Amino acid sequence: MNRSDVILELQLVPELLKQAEAIYVDAVSELNWAKHMLLTKEYEVIGEGLVTGKNELQRQAELWPHTKELQKQVLQMEDSVEHTKVEFHFYKRKLENLQIIAKLMTIL
C-alpha cells in the first residue's frame, strides 16, 4: 500500500463508517420498536383476560399463539442488529488501522 492508496482510503472510509453507523442505529431503533410492539400485544392479550395461567410457563404458553409472529420479528431484528454491528466495527477498525499506517509512513 503506497501513500496515495492510504490517502484515498482515509478519504473514503470515514463516509463508509458513517453510513454503517447510520444503518446500525436504524436497526437498533427498529428492534426497539418491535420489542415495544411485542410488549404492547402481550399487555393487550393479558388485559383481554386471555391469559389465566397459574405459573410463568403456562402464561407464556397462552401468550404464544397471540405473539409468535411478533416474537419472530424481534428475533430477526436482533440478528439484523448483530450483522449491522459487524459492518460498523469493520469500518471502525479499518479507519483506525489506516490512521496507524499513515502515522508510520510519516515516520519512515
Side-chain angles (χ1 to χ4, degrees):
M1 196 174 236
N2 60 37
R3 288 179 193 263
S4 60
D5 292 339
V6 172
I7 292 169
L8 180 61
E9 288 286 319
L10 281 169
Q11 292 170 341
L12 296 175
V13 172
E15 183 60 33
L16 295 172
L17 177 60
K18 177 183 170 187
Q19 291 171 5
E21 185 174 21
I23 292 168
Y24 173 68
V25 168
D26 288 345
V28 169
S29 178
E30 288 177 20
L31 172 61
N32 288 334
W33 181 249
K35 286 179 177 181
H36 173 73
M37 295 303 294
L38 174 60
L39 192 58
T40 299
K41 184 64 174 180
E42 288 176 353
Y43 289 156
E44 285 175 8
V45 170
I46 291 168
E48 292 171 1
L50 300 173
V51 177
T52 59
K54 301 279 187 219
N55 63 47
E56 183 64 24
L57 192 55
Q58 286 177 320
R59 289 189 292 275
Q60 289 298 323
E62 291 174 345
L63 275 171
W64 177 252
H66 306 284
T67 61
K68 65 182 175 185
E69 287 304 314
L70 290 171
Q71 289 183 30
K72 181 180 174 183
Q73 287 177 358
V74 167
L75 290 173
Q76 289 171 335
M77 289 182 180
E78 286 174 341
D79 286 345
S80 176
V81 165
E82 291 303 312
H83 284 92
T84 59
K85 186 169 37 172
V86 167
E87 189 81 6
F88 168 69
H89 286 293
F90 168 78
Y91 284 116
K92 187 176 177 183
R93 285 189 307 272
K94 185 172 183 170
L95 180 60
E96 291 168 354
N97 290 339
L98 284 167
Q99 290 169 336
I100 291 169
I101 291 169
K103 286 179 185 176
L104 290 173
M105 286 182 156
T106 60
I107 293 171
L108 299 176

